[in-house]
Amino acid sequence: MSLSKRRGFVFPSSEIYGGINAVWDYGPLGVELKNNVKRAWWRSMVQQRDEIVGLDAGILMAPQVWVTSGHVAEFSDPMVECATDHRRFRVDELPGAEDLSPAALMDPGIVERLGLTCPADGGPLSAPRKFNLMFQTWMGPVQDEAAVVWLRPETAQGIYVNFKNVRETSRKKVPFGIAQIGKAFRNEISPGNFVFRMREFEQMEMQYFVHPSAAAEHFEAWKHRRRAWYESFGVTPARLRFREHRPDELAHYAKKAVDVEYRFPFGWKELEGIHNRGDWDLSRHAAASGENLEYFDPTTEEHYIPWIVETSAGGDRGAFTFLMDAYREEEVRGETRVVLGFHPELAPYKVAVLPLLKKRPEIVELCHRIKDDLSRHVMAVYDDTASIGKLYRRQDEIGTPWCVTVDVDSLEDGAITVRDRDSMLQERVSADRIVELIGDRLAAAAP
Ligand code: ATP
């Protein structure tokens, strides 16, 4: 967290006013990292797959969507939350509280009076609250019940309601997928752990529409593909695991659910959810909207509602994971070197161009020329605000894979030094070849 703030990855939102709980802002390096994560996801999910197409639906949707999806009714009972494992429970489902009146269920002293504790781990429970996770606002000039709209708590519904539009216009045949990246908002009761649980965050979701008989097989395939994606961008395999939801944990619509979990410093936690949602979503929307959301298979002449296999990842949680997993401290000649060992594609800057002598205008000029050439292809940065040793350390600490140094000899022989972040090895190459060399190295690192 301290490195994130100090180097400009993440800042608390509205900090000069004391901040606002569970909203974070991405600084110059953070926005590059998160954009790179989203780009990498989009490339593997949309660009490199013939059967998946993209979508960017609105954050505000017809209120009926959230009634149909169950979000309006969900979480509207008196709830308590465990302070240790953050599970939420309906008060009337806790042993000892089953027969209470509606008023008693909302009594602020009920937890203490009945000695209620978390049924899962015995942890302390919050006071009861009527709680719906959705943020509500009004559309149009009149702020009354009829004008209520919600900020979407997930991006998936935008995909379901566009199922027909997308299928017809893209002419996709089952199995096919629709992918979307976008903001979601949840009024979390207990946000925290830095950007792990926020009230405004981004999701990277893909809904895969399949024949019911093939859903289990697709579910397994996506589970493995998604875990492999994190590993291909450098996440330590031993810090990833699958966790299958127990039957009593499954959401009402889910046939099967597995979380890809990461071992965060605060425990194993969900990084991404993979769900077999059956035909719940399309059936519900078809019934509520009156629209026929069936698929017709011309080869078998079968009409059916496709089942959905969903992969639901967090853009922020993903970026946070890559950041944390990349952090390492090393001993180098008796000093501690902090390195963010990002996969080159995720690194905020790919190259830093550094002058060995900033007092020599020809050196500075050559640096700028190299930086400008590189900037047409990748994020590159010029820095001359410290000695070369310090500049290298600074770039190591923000995960820049390559540093290019221009010295007095460069003016004579046109050669520059390229230093590798991980090995710290340096090699002399012709300045004319630098764009090609960085391109080759990025291509070699590509998953
Ligand atoms: P959790 O159990 O952590 O509350 P969830 O099961 O409610 O998560 P989903 O609804 O499956 O999460 O959302 C899919 C993904 O969206 C999560 O795996 C996570 O990466 C991300 N996500 C969900 N809620 C948040 C949040 N409050 N802050 C940041 N990312 C989130």
Side-chain angles (χ1 to χ4, degrees):
M1 273 180 80
S2 110
L3 184 141
S4 286
K5 170 105 202 274
R6 189 160 44 80
R7 304 313 312 269
F9 280 92
V10 178
F11 308 121
S13 164
S14 324
E15 195 178 13
I16 61 168
Y17 287 101
I20 173 169
N21 199 5
V23 185
W24 297 88
D25 297 344
Y26 287 84
L29 296 176
V31 65
E32 295 300 334
L33 170 64
K34 194 161 96 161
N35 281 344
N36 291 341
V37 170
K38 291 190 285 183
R39 229 174 263 135
W41 185 88
W42 194 265
R43 194 176 52 241
S44 85
M45 298 300 269
V46 180
Q47 196 174 322
Q48 296 181 324
R49 297 199 70 95
D50 293 336
E51 85 286 24
I52 303 181
V53 289
L55 178 76
D56 185 10
I59 286 171
L60 301 175
M61 303 183 73
Q64 183 59 42
V65 169
W66 305 110
V67 177
T68 306
S69 69
H71 283 85
V72 171
E74 230 177 308
F75 301 128
S76 59
D77 291 310
M79 310 274 291
V80 287
E81 183 170 301
C82 172
T84 51
D85 69 4
H86 302 298
R87 287 185 186 209
R88 301 185 190 105
F89 302 93
R90 278 170 55 174
V91 183
D92 64 350
E93 285 177 352
L94 292 173
E98 297 97 335
D99 299 324
L100 296 176
S101 68
L105 287 172
M106 282 304 289
D107 173 2
I110 192 74
V111 169
E112 221 173 314
R113 194 152 53 78
L114 298 184
L116 301 174
T117 53
C118 173
D121 71 355
L125 296 172
S126 68
R129 292 179 58 183
K130 274 243 179 227
F131 209 80
N132 188 301
L133 284 180
M134 287 196 292
F135 281 97
Q136 184 178 300
T137 186
W138 297 272
M139 189 170 263
V142 184
Q143 298 194 351
D144 65 9
E145 272 299 304
V148 164
V149 290
W150 287 282
L151 302 188
R152 66 181 177 198
E154 62 175 33
T155 58
Q157 298 301 324
I159 296 180
Y160 306 144
V161 300
N162 277 294
F163 165 73
K164 199 169 171 185
N165 282 338
V166 174
R167 194 192 58 73
E168 284 177 1
T169 52
S170 63
R171 303 174 157 278
K172 292 293 175 203
K173 294 196 172 66
V174 164
F176 78 96
I178 305 178
Q180 172 165 232
I181 298 178
K183 286 265 179 166
F185 302 81
R186 291 183 193 177
N187 196 7
E188 299 277 5
I189 313 184
S190 52
N193 285 325
F194 196 34
V195 296
F196 177 79
R197 189 179 301 285
M198 308 196 283
R199 293 202 165 114
E200 173 180 344
F201 57 97
E202 277 191 276
Q203 290 189 312
M204 308 189 292
E205 295 198 299
M206 193 279 297
Q207 311 292 324
Y208 209 63
F209 302 91
V210 303
H211 189 276
S213 65
E217 187 190 320
H218 287 295
F219 175 84
E220 282 304 310
W222 277 109
K223 200 175 99 174
H224 293 290
R225 265 182 219 133
R226 291 304 306 147
R227 179 177 174 159
W229 182 79
Y230 292 101
E231 292 178 9
S232 71
F233 283 97
V235 173
T236 310
R239 292 191 199 141
L240 287 170
R241 73 173 188 195
F242 290 128
R243 192 185 69 85
E244 184 162 346
H245 289 210
R246 297 182 313 269
D248 62 337
E249 256 186 297
L250 281 179
H252 48 286
Y253 51 76
K255 301 271 181 236
K256 202 169 161 116
V258 161
D259 292 341
V260 179
E261 289 193 333
Y262 179 76
R263 206 184 66 216
F264 290 97
F266 41 89
W268 287 97
K269 299 277 175 203
E270 172 177 342
L271 182 53
E272 168 162 352
I274 293 117
H275 311 123
N276 177 349
R277 302 177 66 107
D279 69 357
W280 162 264
D281 307 282
L282 291 184
S283 301
R284 295 267 299 184
H285 281 302
S289 67
E291 195 69 52
N292 180 2
L293 298 180
E294 278 182 343
Y295 174 76
F296 174 65
D297 186 332
T299 46
T300 60
E301 303 209 322
E302 190 186 1
H303 288 270
Y304 63 92
I305 297 264
W307 279 28
I308 292 174
V309 173
E310 163 187 72
T311 69
S312 180
D316 308 86
R317 214 174 270 186
F320 181 42
T321 303
F322 287 117
L323 176 68
M324 211 155 19
D325 200 74
Y327 185 92
R328 60 173 197 258
E329 293 177 10
E330 296 171 354
E331 280 291 305
V332 178
R333 289 186 288 278
E335 278 184 35
T336 304
R337 174 173 99 118
V338 173
V339 186
L340 287 181
F342 286 129
H343 185 283
E345 267 186 47
L346 302 184
Y349 298 136
K350 310 301 179 222
V351 190
V353 185
L354 316 169
L356 210 60
L357 273 178
K358 71 170 173 180
K359 290 203 182 84
R360 290 285 295 270
E362 314 94 285
I363 291 184
V364 172
E365 195 192 311
L366 181 54
C367 280
H368 282 297
R369 228 174 40 229
I370 292 171
K371 193 259 162 196
D372 290 346
D373 281 350
L374 285 163
S375 295
R376 283 205 292 274
H377 309 275
V378 294
M379 272 306 284
V381 65
Y382 168 81
D383 193 3
D384 67 5
T385 56
S387 66
I388 192 69
K390 256 208 175 113
L391 291 176
Y392 281 154
R393 292 290 179 271
R394 204 181 271 173
Q395 294 301 328
D396 290 343
E397 208 184 39
I398 62 171
T400 308
W402 301 288
C403 288
V404 164
T405 314
V406 178
D407 54 29
V408 182
D409 291 342
S410 310
L411 302 174
E412 300 300 319
D413 61 9
I416 53 180
T417 303
V418 179
R419 172 195 182 263
D420 183 272
R421 174 195 68 202
D422 298 326
S423 66
M424 291 185 286
L425 292 176
Q426 307 191 359
E427 62 181 299
R428 289 295 275 185
V429 299
S430 160
D432 301 337
R433 276 203 53 237
I434 189 66
V435 170
E436 188 190 334
L437 182 112
I438 298 299
D440 287 351
R441 291 205 178 165
L442 278 170

